[in-house]
Every structure is written in C-alpha cells, then in structure tokens.
Amino acid sequence: MTTPPPQGNPFAQGQQQPYGQPQGQAPFPQQAGQPGFPPPGAPVPPQQQGRKISFKTIKNVVIVLIVAGVAIGGWIASRDDAAAAAVGDCMHRGSTDDNNPDLEVVDCGDAKAQYKVLAKVEGDFSGLTAQSKCEAESKDFEYVYTETNGSKSFLLCLKDK
C-alpha cells in the first residue's frame, strides 16, 4: 500500500501573498457590518449643528437685563445733582425743605434756574466754617449749601441768578 502525497505544494517555502496584494493585509476587503463600517442601507447620522438656544436661556437673559436696567435707572435717579455741580453751573431748588433742598443742575437759560454756583470746595464744613470759607472763595455769595457724605463732603457757595 502506498501513502498519499502530502497536502499543499511540497516545493513552496513559506506563504506568499496573492498577486497585487500589499504585504500585511488580508487578501479580501473588510465586509460591511464589521467594525469600522456602517451596515449596508443604514442612514447616515446628520452632522451636529451649532448649539440651539433654549427658551429658558433667552428668558433668563431677558430677566437679567431688566434687573440690570432697573438697578442702573435707580442709581441714576438717586444721584445727587449738587455733587455734580461745578463753578458756573445754575441750580434749581426742588424742595422748600431747608434740610433737604433737592438741588439740581439746570441750564442757565432755563426759567427754572434760581442760583448760580460761585465756588465749590471739597471737605467737611459746618455753619460758621462754611460761611467764612465762602467769604474767602467768593465775596458775592448769598447762600451756603453743605453736604456731608464721608469722603465726598463739599460746600457750594451760591447766589441768586
């Protein structure tokens, strides 16, 4: 009895790649459905668009803007015009209360203009000291207005317009 011949090519020395295949790759392409490839006929996912702004975000931004507007408006309305007055400005008295005359800066051509600022002196002054300081700064003064706010205290020497 004879033995069957060995399987394969007895003269081959190692594995050779099929013709046209680069070394190190499988002889067949990767099949669809395997990792790295979507299954055939699967829909392509849409590209992510820019972040959409939600109604809640818009509402919160509007609320913050309203609160900031009210705060800024309140600050502007509460500003003291007397503190902003400069020499040569005209003033209007908004109140008959001598303790809080509510002075505001107005245009000198305005019919509401009642006083003219002759001098403005930074510092904390009281009754007689304010009078003598205004006499030294301006001989024509008629009225003295003092305001004490810590480091922002000042004295206005005024006369009728």
Side-chain angles (χ1 to χ4, degrees):
M1 186 162 188
T2 59
T3 57
Q7 296 292 327
N9 185 354
F11 301 107
Q13 297 192 2
Q15 290 260 343
Q16 289 185 351
Q17 294 292 328
Y19 181 74
Q21 289 288 330
Q23 287 192 356
Q25 289 188 356
F28 301 104
Q30 206 173 18
Q31 297 295 317
Q34 292 181 349
F37 289 94
V44 178
Q47 291 183 344
Q48 289 187 355
Q49 297 178 357
R51 193 171 137 188
K52 292 184 179 181
I53 299 175
S54 70
F55 175 75
K56 183 178 179 182
T57 303
I58 293 171
K59 178 187 75 162
N60 289 341
V61 168
V62 168
I63 289 171
V64 166
L65 290 174
I66 289 171
V67 168
V70 167
I72 291 171
W75 177 77
I76 289 172
S78 69
R79 278 190 7 199
D80 185 8
D81 272 359
V87 174
D89 284 347
C90 290
M91 309 287 293
H92 169 72
R93 183 176 181 156
S95 168
T96 58
D97 182 7
D98 286 339
N99 293 325
N100 185 13
D102 190 26
L103 293 177
E104 64 178 312
V105 177
V106 294
D107 184 60
C108 288
D110 191 342
K112 293 186 341 180
Q114 295 171 297
Y115 310 105
K116 186 165 188 160
V117 178
L118 300 177
K120 181 174 183 179
V121 183
E122 301 295 325
D124 189 5
F125 301 97
S126 62
L128 291 175
T129 311
Q131 288 283 344
S132 62
K133 191 65 175 177
C134 276
E135 285 174 2
E137 294 291 324
S138 174
K139 301 286 185 214
D140 295 341
F141 87 97
E142 296 173 13
Y143 308 102
V144 174
Y145 173 81
T146 59
E147 188 168 306
T148 305
N149 283 337
S151 64
K152 295 189 178 192
S153 299
F154 61 92
L155 161 70
L156 294 178
C157 303
L158 306 168
K159 79 170 189 171
D160 284 326
K161 182 178 172 298

